[in-house]
Amino acid sequence: MANKNGLWFAYIASFLTPFTLLTSGIVAIIYSGYQLNKGTDEVAYSHYYTIIRSFFLFFTFFVVLGVTAATITGMVAGAEYWVHSNVLHTVLNILPFIGAAIALAAIVAWFAKIVKGMKQLSVNQAVEM
């Protein structure tokens, strides 16, 4: 397998993405794309491709989650302003916790996917695409 250390670097950088405010994830996908462009074997190709694919999948998920949360919060706040309902006020206070729970579940799923890929890399196995 060509350049296994490079794959480990990309996986670790991808794993650290939530803690580095996307910086390490961007470095990981740029590095992975560079390695794919250079040409590599099938096992390394599947891992680099999976790193890039999972980054953009979860990035898109978090953008949609943020836009949805902001839109719903704005709508409920506007309705609560005009209606003055205790139910709407309670919903407005609960919405950030619901968004945080969904985001944490997505981060755990991301970590699980990265760890699964690392385990497959350690036994020199390609990732199923």
Side-chain angles (χ1 to χ4, degrees):
M1 169 184 272
N3 199 5
K4 199 171 185 179
N5 290 336
L7 277 167
W8 283 110
F9 166 76
Y11 268 121
I12 291 168
S14 185
F15 187 84
L16 295 174
T17 298
F19 306 111
T20 61
L21 302 175
L22 297 177
T23 305
S24 66
I26 292 169
V27 170
I29 63 168
I30 290 171
Y31 180 78
S32 297
Y34 172 73
Q35 291 298 325
L36 285 175
N37 194 39
K38 281 178 41 177
T40 185
D41 61 13
E42 288 299 316
V43 173
Y45 179 87
S46 71
H47 285 278
Y48 284 128
Y49 182 76
T50 299
I51 289 168
I52 293 169
R53 185 178 61 189
S54 67
F55 175 84
F56 282 112
L57 174 72
F58 284 103
F59 180 72
T60 303
F61 171 78
F62 281 109
V63 168
V64 170
L65 178 65
V67 169
T68 303
T71 303
I72 290 173
T73 302
M75 290 171 48
V76 172
E80 200 269 332
Y81 175 79
W82 291 104
V83 176
H84 300 293
S85 168
N86 288 334
V87 173
L88 288 176
H89 185 73
T90 302
V91 168
L92 190 59
N93 288 333
I94 292 173
L95 278 176
F97 296 107
I98 294 171
I102 293 170
L104 284 174
I107 290 171
V108 167
W110 187 353
F111 285 161
K113 188 172 189 135
I114 296 297
V115 168
K116 180 182 175 187
M118 288 176 164
K119 287 179 181 177
Q120 288 178 324
L121 177 61
S122 67
V123 295
N124 203 24
Q125 184 181 19
V127 176
E128 295 177 20
M129 288 196 223

